Amino acid sequence: MSLFKARDWWSTALGEKEEFDQGCLCVADVDNSGNGQDKIIVGSYIGYLRIFNPHPVKPGDGMQAEDLLLEVQLRDSILQVEVGKFVSGTELLHLAVLHCRKLCVYAVSGTLGNVEHGNQYQIKLMYEHNLQRTACNMTYGPFGGVKGRDLICIQSMDGMLMLFEQESYAFGRFLPSFLLPGPLTYSSRTDSFITVSSCQQVESYKYQVLAFATDADERKETEQQKLSSGKRLVMDWVLNIGEQALDICVVSLNQTSSVFVLGERNFFCLKDNGQIRFMKKLDCSPSCFLPYCSVSEGTINTLVGNHNNMLHVYQDVTLKWATQLPHIPVAVKVGNLQDLKGVIVTLSDSGHLQCSYLGTDPSLFQAPKVESREINYEELDREMKELQKIIKESTKTQDILPKSEKDYDDLRITAEVSPDLDVDSQAIDSEVRAEAVPSVTVKITLQSRLAVQKTKLSICVQPPLALTHDQFIFDDIESCGSKAVALSVFLKGNCPPAELEGDAVASYSTPTDFADQSDEDQVNVLGFQFLTGSRITLLASKTSQRYRIQSEQLEDLWLITKELAFRLEEHFKKQNSKDFTCTFSGSVPLQEYFELIDRHFELRLNAEKFEELLSERAIQFRAIERRLLTRFKDKTPAPLQHLDTLLEGTYRQIIALADAAEENQTNMFQAFTKLKSATQLVIMLISLWQKLSTDQVAILEATFLPLMQDTQELGWEESVDAAISHLLRTCLSKSSKEQALTLTSQLSIPKDTSRLKKHITLLCDRLAKGGRLCLSTDTNIQQTMVMPGGCTPIQESDLEERTGVQDSTTMFTNHRHLTKQKSKTGIHKSKDLSTPDFTALQVRMQIYSRGINLVP
């Protein structure tokens, strides 16, 4: 018995009469909070999933209500919970839950609370896989060397490894000479699956060998199948340890990996090629273990729990610490909780969850002091009478539940079960071994107080009961209308049901934006959040017809601004208001717009540099290959002179450059999308600012949006610059001297964006001084009227000299004429552009006798 006990930091008891095992505990930042704080995820065999975030006021406190983030009961037993990058298209962490016949992946998210109860957490099912075989355990990792995502491998009870590439099923392979399933893990260094078979052997299987082996559609393998195409599944290495294994784990340290195996009497440490590094004989029967890296000491330590309520800490084969636990642990993890690193989390088979730390203070019991006092019987009698009075008054109250403020909800669901069985049974695919399986009809009615749309009714019952129909979809339900459906319930499984209740849930949408009116004072504020995470706020003034749209990014304002103008037009059109007009007279946000242009142009220059470097490395790679082939073909052997090393290094450089070029291409696509959104916003603001006609807006759109997609041969910057230069030379020209200038017939990527930004500013300034857009090349008649507001006047200069052509018509070609600009620093890095906290567009609507004017 250890003198020192594990210092209790936080503990709780989970449920009643629930069972747990080693796969039911996981510690990770499952909600992607980003603050480095882990959460404790626990699943039980009766289907309860709980997520904890302990915050004890002082060490040793029990669980508070706010420590339990989420508790939900799933339909099936939970065998194992894991956290990883299981959803394609994102590198956020998601929760994988393994059931006996199903694999479910959930997204855990939290919503900030506005009251004292704290934040609200919920899980969302991202996808699920129905398993054809009963599952035993699972492991995950970057199988095949994939980057940025984790794949899942499930071992069935009959020895089949089922591999899932996130949302899709990849393949399945049977393990050879299989009898009973054992622990399973994955080694990313060797790209291998490691398990312990019932033959008491540690076996390693390469992922590539599993992928190219014969498909495991059937367990039996006939002689014809043995002779058919495909490869037999062979082991990479095997080691006999002479005892059954309880768990297996792979730990990497200093570019080496070790395989730890916990046996019934020993625990082993193996190299990644199967050779024994060391082994340790245990004095007590172990129950769980956890190898982990000690960063400070540069070694691998191992936590081993046993059936004597002890937790031992080993460094290699040396016992470093022993501490006593209040229970027998079946699972142990280490996490960072509330800025406390290295918290030991243990779980017993009965549900005792404890977070503890190792201390040097002996936990000795001290008897509390007994307070002796005389009993005041008169005071006790008065207290008893008061309590009896309270109990008597409470029993008189009949309405215990609070009354609802509404007479009834917007949509009411009523269910009526028929008292008689169906004359003709509706049971289908029943497993009951009887001549006839009866069924009963259930009638469900939906009564709507309001007009609702896209109503979906879902009904579920607990197995072994089943339904003939579990979902119904209605297009529209009118106000004070009703819809009724009928379905049958029958016994599908060959066992009596545990309960005869069912649930019916209806989801619907209303024609308005919100279901209920807000009770807060700020009813003039509307917030939006895109799926990408951006937030946009729309504010309406109470005293004047003014609208303000604000966001942290300029490109995010486009969709909301467009939708606001569209809805205003539709609203006044329904009211037959012919005097309605919408204008904008604030300053056009050119500075934020120019930052998006610079970011997109920077990525284009990087793409050109990547292409040049890839070409150089490819030429170098082919040259080295030719020299190696010459050496290999030579009859007289000659030294390679490190050509093979140079070939491998060049190959790695090509792969790295290709990955960087692909990432830059993705970033450039996103930057071009943001640039298009901001460009459409700028076009809309200019058109509202100068009250442009439909034809003039079309000219402006053709000028700023000439390309549907961006390429290196013909980019957005040179195309827009040529189009704006043409407008400044023709319809927006200031003198005949500018009209005489012509543009070059060849477009190439510019060296920077200063000229483009100067021309955009000049275009806005010309429009502010009365210029109008047209396609005619005749002499432009300048208007003397100056609009209020607009861009700040700049010092104009004559347009830059351009190469002239004889024909007065400007020609644009998409042939590539690129001038390679060599940079001393290589790849262009991002510039530190100072941006305000948010970009705001402010609009004011004032009603006059002739129309509505939107001004700041």
Side-chain angles (χ1 to χ4, degrees):
M1 178 177 180
S2 174
L3 175 64
F4 302 109
K5 293 184 179 180
R7 311 304 294 171
D8 185 10
W9 184 69
W10 177 89
S11 62
T12 183
L14 306 179
E16 296 181 0
K17 298 181 180 180
E18 297 187 41
E19 295 182 359
F20 304 84
D21 206 344
Q22 62 181 8
C24 299
L25 177 64
C26 182
V27 177
D29 188 12
V30 67
D31 59 343
N32 299 280
S33 61
N35 55 9
Q37 302 296 323
D38 294 331
K39 313 299 183 300
I40 302 176
I41 305 102
V42 182
S44 68
Y45 279 170
I46 67 173
Y48 276 100
L49 177 66
R50 300 178 178 92
I51 301 178
F52 295 92
N53 186 17
H55 288 83
V57 179
K58 60 180 180 179
D61 286 351
M63 188 193 74
Q64 304 295 325
E66 58 270 17
D67 294 344
L68 180 60
L69 302 182
L70 177 70
E71 182 178 17
V72 61
Q73 183 177 13
L74 306 179
R75 295 184 178 180
D76 303 318
S77 300
I78 298 177
L79 301 181
Q80 190 173 347
V81 289
E82 298 289 349
V83 175
K85 303 174 183 178
F86 300 135
V87 177
S88 61
T90 178
E91 292 188 5
L92 296 178
L93 298 179
H94 290 77
L95 175 63
V97 180
L98 179 64
H99 303 286
C100 294
R101 286 279 185 166
K102 185 184 297 184
L103 172 65
C104 301
V105 175
Y106 298 93
V108 180
S109 60
T111 304
L112 295 178
N114 297 325
V115 294
E116 62 183 4
H117 301 297
N119 304 337
Q120 298 178 357
Y121 284 78
Q122 59 273 348
I123 60 174
K124 178 183 179 182
L125 180 63
M126 305 303 294
Y127 63 88
E128 66 179 16
H129 293 291
N130 293 320
L131 307 179
Q132 300 299 325
R133 302 177 183 276
T134 303
C136 176
N137 51 25
M138 67 175 177
T139 185
Y140 69 96
F143 304 162
V146 298
K147 297 181 179 180
R149 57 176 181 160
D150 293 325
L151 310 184
I152 299 177
C153 175
I154 299 177
Q155 180 180 207
S156 66
M157 296 296 292
D158 57 352
M160 181 179 180
L161 296 182
M162 298 172 285
L163 286 91
F164 297 87
E165 294 183 357
Q166 297 181 337
E167 290 87 350
S168 60
Y169 171 76
F171 57 87
R173 300 291 184 265
F174 278 110
L175 297 178
S177 303
F178 180 86
L179 180 61
L180 294 174
L184 177 68
T185 188
Y186 171 76
S187 174
S188 59
R189 178 175 176 83
T190 60
D191 196 21
S192 304
F193 295 97
I194 305 174
T195 184
V196 181
S197 66
S198 57
C199 300
Q200 302 179 354
Q201 294 179 347
V202 183
E203 302 173 353
S204 174
Y205 299 91
K206 289 283 188 179
Y207 174 77
Q208 296 295 334
V209 175
L210 290 173
F212 290 101
T214 306
D215 194 12
D217 290 333
E218 297 292 336
R219 180 60 194 261
K220 295 183 179 179
E221 191 175 62
T222 61
E223 292 296 328
Q224 184 178 0
Q225 290 174 338
K226 293 181 180 179
L227 298 176
S228 61
S229 61
K231 298 181 178 179
R232 296 290 302 276
L233 183 58
V234 295
M235 292 173 285
D236 184 32
W237 54 264
V238 62
L239 175 68
N240 194 326
I241 59 176
E243 58 182 309
Q244 298 295 334
L246 302 180
D247 200 359
I248 186 171
C249 185
V250 176
V251 180
S252 298
L253 180 65
N254 298 330
Q255 298 181 353
T256 60
S257 62
S258 300
V259 181
F260 288 82
V261 182
L262 179 64
E264 295 176 332
R265 297 174 298 275
N266 306 274
F267 84 90
F268 305 84
C269 179
L270 314 178
K271 298 181 181 179
D272 52 10
N273 59 357
Q275 297 179 359
I276 297 181
R277 195 185 301 273
F278 64 84
M279 65 174 291
K280 172 66 177 178
K281 181 177 178 58
L282 302 175
D283 297 330
C284 303
S285 177
S287 60
C288 62
F289 87 135
L290 176 67
Y292 66 98
C293 298
S294 177
V295 181
S296 60
E297 300 178 0
T299 59
I300 299 179
N301 298 342
T302 307
L303 296 175
V304 180
N306 56 39
H307 288 273
N308 292 345
N309 296 15
M310 298 292 294
L311 184 67
H312 292 170
V313 182
Y314 290 92
Q315 187 177 82
D316 292 339
V317 296
T318 305
L319 178 63
K320 290 294 184 179
W321 196 263
T323 184
Q324 188 175 9
L325 296 174
H327 57 267
I328 299 175
V330 296
V332 58
K333 300 291 182 182
V334 175
N336 301 330
L337 304 174
Q338 199 182 4
D339 299 330
L340 184 61
K341 297 182 179 180
V343 178
I344 301 175
V345 184
T346 55
L347 176 68
S348 70
D349 59 350
S350 60
H352 188 98
L353 179 64
Q354 176 174 325
C355 299
S356 56
Y357 59 95
L358 303 179
T360 57
D361 297 332
S363 179
L364 301 178
F365 174 79
Q366 294 180 356
K369 295 181 180 180
V370 179
E371 296 182 3
S372 60
R373 62 174 183 173
E374 297 180 359
I375 301 176
N376 191 343
Y377 292 99
E378 295 180 358
E379 184 179 353
L380 291 178
D381 290 339
R382 286 195 301 268
E383 185 179 357
M384 178 64 70
K385 291 180 181 180
E386 292 178 358
L387 293 176
Q388 289 177 350
K389 183 178 179 180
I390 295 174
I391 294 173
K392 186 177 180 180
E393 292 294 332
S394 62
T395 55
K396 295 180 180 179
T397 305
Q398 296 180 356
D399 298 333
I400 300 177
L401 298 177
K403 296 182 179 179
S404 178
E405 297 179 358
K406 298 181 180 180
D407 294 335
Y408 54 91
D409 297 332
D410 294 340
L411 191 67
R412 177 183 294 180
I413 304 176
T414 57
E416 180 182 357
V417 181
S418 175
D420 302 324
L421 298 177
D422 297 339
V423 178
D424 296 330
S425 177
Q426 303 295 323
I428 54 175
D429 298 334
S430 177
E431 301 174 0
V432 179
R433 301 172 183 175
E435 296 180 358
V437 179
S439 63
V440 63
T441 300
V442 179
K443 181 181 179 182
I444 299 179
T445 305
L446 301 179
Q447 295 177 345
S448 177
R449 182 173 62 91
L450 302 175
V452 295
Q453 300 174 352
K454 300 178 181 178
T455 305
K456 182 179 180 181
L457 176 63
S458 300
I459 308 99
C460 68
V461 293
Q462 297 297 325
L465 297 178
L467 302 170
T468 55
H469 297 86
D470 57 356
Q471 287 187 357
F472 299 90
I473 299 177
F474 309 98
D475 294 334
D476 297 320
I477 301 180
E478 299 179 355
S479 178
C480 299
S482 63
K483 295 284 186 178
V485 295
L487 53 101
S488 296
V489 184
F490 61 93
L491 184 64
K492 185 175 183 179
N494 192 20
C495 61
E499 57 182 68
L500 300 178
E501 297 179 354
D503 298 323
V505 179
S507 61
Y508 61 92
S509 61
T510 58
T512 57
D513 294 332
F514 301 98
D516 294 322
Q517 181 68 28
S518 175
D519 295 334
E520 300 179 359
D521 297 335
Q522 295 183 351
V523 294
N524 60 328
V525 180
L526 189 61
F528 302 91
Q529 182 173 2
F530 292 154
L531 294 178
T532 55
S534 303
R535 296 181 179 180
I536 302 93
T537 306
L538 173 62
L539 300 94
S541 176
K542 294 182 179 180
T543 58
S544 60
Q545 299 295 333
R546 175 183 300 177
Y547 293 90
R548 179 183 179 90
I549 310 171
Q550 62 187 26
S551 177
E552 295 181 355
Q553 304 295 334
L554 175 65
E555 63 272 12
D556 297 334
L557 298 173
W558 157 240
L559 293 177
I560 303 301
T561 306
K562 175 186 176 183
E563 189 66 20
L564 174 62
F566 172 76
R567 295 202 177 193
L568 287 175
E569 293 176 358
E570 291 293 323
H571 173 71
F572 287 99
K573 186 184 295 183
K574 292 180 181 179
Q575 295 183 353
N576 296 325
S577 176
K578 299 181 180 180
D579 296 334
F580 168 76
T581 181
C582 183
T583 61
F584 168 80
S585 59
S587 59
V588 180
L590 292 182
Q591 183 61 34
E592 292 80 6
Y593 183 53
F594 290 161
E595 292 174 1
L596 292 174
I597 294 178
D598 291 338
R599 172 59 178 165
H600 176 260
F601 184 73
E602 174 188 337
L603 294 174
R604 287 190 61 195
L605 294 180
N606 289 346
E608 189 179 42
K609 186 64 178 179
F610 281 129
E611 183 179 355
E612 181 180 351
L613 292 176
L614 276 173
S615 178
E616 293 177 357
R617 295 298 183 272
I619 294 174
Q620 177 179 337
F621 187 79
R622 289 192 292 268
I624 298 173
E625 278 187 328
R626 286 194 296 267
R627 292 194 177 185
L628 279 175
L629 289 175
T630 303
R631 296 289 177 91
F632 291 151
K633 291 181 179 179
D634 193 1
K635 296 181 179 179
T636 303
L640 297 180
Q641 296 180 351
H642 300 289
L643 286 177
D644 54 343
T645 306
L646 185 59
L647 181 67
E648 182 180 0
T650 306
Y651 173 75
R652 292 180 178 178
Q653 291 180 358
I654 292 176
I655 296 300
L657 285 173
D659 293 340
E662 184 178 2
E663 182 181 0
N664 185 82
Q665 186 69 22
T666 303
N667 296 334
M668 187 166 64
F669 173 77
Q670 296 178 356
F672 184 63
T673 304
K674 295 179 179 179
L675 180 59
K676 287 196 297 183
S677 299
T679 301
Q680 296 187 82
L681 177 63
V682 170
I683 293 173
M684 179 181 180
L685 296 181
I686 293 176
S687 62
L688 296 178
W689 166 43
Q690 290 297 322
K691 298 181 180 180
L692 301 182
S693 63
T694 305
D695 296 338
Q696 291 176 332
V697 174
I699 295 175
L700 207 59
E701 291 177 349
T703 302
F704 280 90
L705 296 172
L707 302 175
M708 295 301 296
Q709 58 183 1
D710 196 27
T711 59
Q712 285 296 105
E713 290 77 9
L714 182 60
W716 182 87
E717 286 80 7
E718 54 266 28
S719 302
V720 173
D721 184 49
I724 295 178
S725 301
H726 176 73
L727 293 179
L728 294 175
R729 186 181 62 86
T730 55
C731 60
L732 295 179
S733 62
K734 197 174 181 183
S735 62
S736 58
K737 179 181 178 182
E738 292 183 356
Q739 294 183 4
L741 297 175
T742 56
L743 301 176
T744 178
S745 60
Q746 298 178 354
L747 296 181
S748 60
I749 182 172
K751 61 180 181 179
D752 53 35
T753 59
S754 58
R755 177 172 137 179
L756 172 61
K757 293 186 288 187
K758 176 181 177 181
H759 287 173
I760 294 177
T761 307
L762 189 59
L763 172 68
C764 295
D765 191 66
R766 294 278 178 90
L767 290 175
K769 293 182 179 179
R772 285 297 175 261
L773 300 174
C774 63
L775 296 178
S776 175
T777 58
D778 297 337
T779 303
N780 185 34
I781 302 176
Q782 296 291 339
Q783 302 180 7
T784 58
M785 179 183 64
V786 179
M787 299 295 298
C791 302
T792 305
I794 63 173
Q795 186 69 27
E796 290 193 27
S797 61
D798 292 336
L799 297 177
E800 299 180 6
E801 295 184 0
R802 304 172 179 85
T803 305
V805 294
Q806 298 297 328
D807 194 358
S808 61
T809 305
T810 304
M811 299 176 58
F812 302 97
T813 61
N814 58 356
H815 300 287
R816 183 177 183 182
H817 298 277
L818 299 177
T819 303
K820 296 183 179 179
Q821 302 290 339
K822 295 187 179 290
S823 174
K824 295 181 180 179
T825 59
I827 305 301
H828 294 260
K829 302 297 182 182
S830 301
K831 301 179 181 178
D832 186 11
L833 302 175
S834 60
T835 58
D837 292 339
F838 61 88
T839 303
L841 300 178
Q842 186 171 339
V843 183
R844 182 177 60 191
M845 178 183 294
Q846 294 179 347
I847 302 180
Y848 297 100
S849 59
R850 293 187 177 180
I852 298 176
N853 189 23
L854 301 181
V855 295

